[in-house]
Amino acid sequence: MLGKGTWGELLAAGKEKLKEAGVAEYDLDAWYLFEHAFGISRMQYFLCSGEQAGPGEEAFASYESGLSRRSKREPLQHILGTQEFMGLEFTVSRHVLIPRQDTEILVETVLSAHKEKNISVLDMCTGSGCIGISLAVLGGYRHVEAADISEEALVVARANAAGIPGAGNVCFRQSDLFSEFSPETDRYDVIVSNPPYIPSSVIEGLEPEVRDFEPRNALDGAEDGLLFYRRLAEECGRFLKKNGSVYFEIGYDQGEAVSSLLRSHGFKDTEVIKDLAGKDRVVCGRWQTA
Ligand code: GLN
């Protein structure tokens, strides 16, 4: 139970609670929960931190509940309900992977390689919709489609598309990879995907925020982590136009394996692109039928 001293003491108590719970970014997370519960901006806080706190019961209960959920290592984004990605705000829930900053590299790579707007793009394994929606909004592409096996994820993705200006024309489809697609009617210039890619045995060692709260089926890439790349490398060619391209997010040590899977299925010009931390993060390849 938190005491009600000054605003400054209320924030400090929150930080302390999260620190004791082993939350790495306890300082920042306590601030976000404080801001969310009380609606106090940084500037207001600066002016009022020494004053006696007078939050309403509801706001105080919301702060306490946020701190208690975060102490149990529930991700901050599940408590706040949103995550920013490519400058856009996405609703998230326990049914979708929380958009990662690393994944912005994937979106930026596609945007900088495809300035032409008159193309069709597919985001396979879309989750929250963050990749497909960012591409539609920032790339202005003629046709953007997004697919996921999870109906619950698609509910979140559709709501995101409906709420973000410029994303209203993104089409969604429930499909186990390409099970609901037909090469006769569904052909794309670009297929982009951030599939599950963590080896099953690694998942137990992840932070509790990821291991216990994020959807396992958005993370687990089977024994060697490569299951979905194998299926994508096998199937994407049938759904690409001539000279179409694929862009996949990968784990830091999967660059060579995924490139060679693509090459062995007929893709050319494979490239591995690094993230801001200097780690391999994206693999791309071009499909040539001629
Ligand atoms: N990069 C994510 C993580 O670190 C995993 C994303 C994925 O499997 N597609 O948890």
Side-chain angles (χ1 to χ4, degrees), residues 260-280:
S260 82
L261 272 171
L262 283 176
R263 283 193 300 268
S264 71
H265 284 90
F267 287 84
K268 307 271 192 299
D269 306 335
T270 60
E271 236 181 289
V272 179
I273 294 146
K274 292 186 190 302
D275 62 21
L276 299 172
K279 293 185 179 152
D280 291 350

Side-chain angles (χ1 to χ4, degrees), residues 14 16 20 34 40 49 57 66 68 76 107 109 130 135 166-167 194-195 198 207 210 227 260 266 281 290:
E16 194 49 39
E20 276 166 24
F34 181 91
I40 291 178
S49 65
E57 281 310 314
S68 136
L76 182 71
V107 173
T109 303
C130 67
L135 288 172
N194 174 17
I198 306 202
E207 291 296 323
V210 181
L227 173 70
S260 82
R281 181 57 65 189

Side-chain angles (χ1 to χ4, degrees), residues 113-174:
H114 299 273
K115 305 280 191 210
E116 162 70 66
K117 295 193 188 316
N118 191 25
I119 61 169
S120 61
V121 178
L122 171 65
D123 171 16
M124 183 51 89
C125 309
T126 192
S128 67
C130 67
I131 297 170
I133 290 170
S134 305
L135 288 172
V137 173
L138 303 169
Y141 299 126
R142 177 178 54 79
H143 182 77
V144 178
E145 241 178 281
D148 205 282
I149 191 171
S150 158
E151 197 47 70
E152 288 134 324
L154 287 168
V155 170
V156 176
R158 283 195 183 98
N160 277 323
I164 295 176
N169 62 345
V170 179
C171 306
F172 294 92
R173 199 183 302 202
Q174 201 252 331

